[in-house]
Amino acid sequence: MRVGVLTGGGDCPGLNAVIRAVVRKGIEVHGWEILGFRSGWQGPLTGESKPLGLDDVEEILTRGGTILGSSRTNPYKVDGGVDKIKSVLAEQGVDALIAIGGEDTLGVAKKLTDDGVGVVGVPKTIDNDLGATDYTFGFDTAVHIATESIDRLRTTAESHHRALVVEVMGRHAGWIALHSGLAGGANVILVPERPFSVDKVVSWVERRFERQYAPIIVVAEGALPEGGAEVLQSGEKDAFGHVRLGGIGTWLADEIAARTGKESRAVVLGHTQRGGTPTAYDRVLATRFGLNAVDAVADGDFGVMVALRGTDIVRVKLAEATAELKTVPASRYEEAEVFFG
């Protein structure tokens, strides 16, 4: 049996751990051939692939990113894309695919399953916004990186008695902002799920200054001021219809400075959140996902995604996993508000 594996969408720490698990169990337990497709769904479209053996994955557990490369290619936006994929898989003798990705990548996997291609999904995203799984790998590492950055920024903020606005990733879900903000002791946390009042933010900031401390504000890139709109880096859309967000941190820092008369600066963490060495938690979770994805292929159980429920790895339908985003509930945000100001 020959099994293909690919990584799609934004990269994140832990992707290589999944690839390693798939290769090792696929070869050593089942005697399969493993074929790695390059650059996400672009690989099955163009036929760009390479065999993956045990030596290829020997040293990749601790490496961030993905040895296969990634892209935001959407085969359903390519003329004849599905037929091209079926043709490539047939030509290369691929019996099944393991697709590692987030909402968009697994949305394609679900459609391909409906169109007769055997696909098993593995949930990846630093945003932790995929439904049907308690956690996605990559999230823990992103939160650690953001928290460490907040810790470092706090010391310089205190030294100069200035407000610092830290912009983290999170287009529609504020999990990184919430967790890193709580762990870093932020005085304000702003998430996409709840439009914020600039007046209220300013009041929290002023309260902090009154106590002779420097405020730290953590804001997700997709957070919205009441009555406002998303701040865009570019109006250009990718193959899945997403525009590039970014700039809410700078906008908010300027508002705070204008309304308080205090110096305020913005720091955008950007892609540092999804680069570098994965945490131990993400390495273990990604490895478990990879091993269980192989089991699903061996069982011929296609159209499913492996998921974390409590401490167990289970299988859920791709349709369930991609039905809706997992966002921060009001109760979780309200828990955090006691620490604001």
Coordinates of all heavy atoms in Angstrom, one line a residue, residues 36 40 46 69 165 239 264 270 275 277 284 302 316:
G36 N 5.6 11.8 0.3 CA 5.3 13.1 0.8 C 5.0 14.1 -0.4 O 5.8 14.2 -1.3
G40 N 1.5 21.6 0.3 CA 0.1 21.4 0.5 C -0.7 20.7 -0.6 O -0.2 19.8 -1.2
T46 N 0.1 18.9 -9.0 CA 1.2 19.0 -9.9 C 2.0 17.7 -10.0 O 2.7 17.5 -10.9 CB 2.1 20.1 -9.6 OG1 2.7 19.9 -8.3 CG2 1.4 21.5 -9.6
G69 N 7.0 21.5 3.1 CA 6.5 22.8 2.6 C 5.0 22.9 2.7 O 4.3 21.9 2.8
V165 N 0.9 47.7 23.6 CA -0.1 46.9 23.0 C 0.6 45.8 22.3 O 1.4 46.0 21.3 CB -1.0 47.8 22.1 CG1 -2.1 46.9 21.5 CG2 -1.6 48.9 22.8
A239 N -6.7 32.0 -1.8 CA -7.5 31.1 -2.5 C -8.7 30.7 -1.7 O -9.7 30.1 -2.3 CB -6.7 29.9 -2.9
S264 N 2.5 55.4 24.3 CA 2.0 54.0 24.0 C 2.6 53.5 22.8 O 2.7 54.2 21.8 CB 0.5 54.1 23.9 OG -0.1 52.9 23.6
G270 N 3.3 38.6 15.2 CA 3.3 38.0 13.8 C 3.8 36.6 13.8 O 3.4 35.8 14.6
G275 N 6.7 29.9 14.6 CA 8.0 29.4 14.2 C 8.8 28.7 15.3 O 8.4 28.8 16.5
T277 N 11.1 25.8 17.6 CA 10.9 24.4 18.2 C 9.6 24.2 18.9 O 9.2 25.1 19.7 CB 12.1 24.2 19.2 OG1 13.3 24.3 18.5 CG2 12.0 22.8 19.8
V284 N 4.2 15.7 21.6 CA 3.5 14.5 22.0 C 2.2 14.4 21.3 O 1.8 13.4 20.7 CB 3.4 14.4 23.5 CG1 2.5 13.2 23.9 CG2 4.7 14.2 24.2
F302 N -12.1 6.4 6.1 CA -11.8 7.7 5.4 C -12.9 8.7 5.7 O -14.0 8.4 6.1 CB -11.6 7.5 3.9 CG -10.5 6.5 3.6 CD1 -10.7 5.4 2.9 CD2 -9.2 6.8 4.1 CE1 -9.7 4.5 2.6 CE2 -8.1 5.9 3.8 CZ -8.4 4.7 3.0
V316 N -13.5 11.7 14.4 CA -14.7 12.4 14.1 C -14.8 12.6 12.6 O -13.8 12.6 11.9 CB -14.7 13.8 14.8 CG1 -14.6 13.6 16.3 CG2 -13.6 14.7 14.3

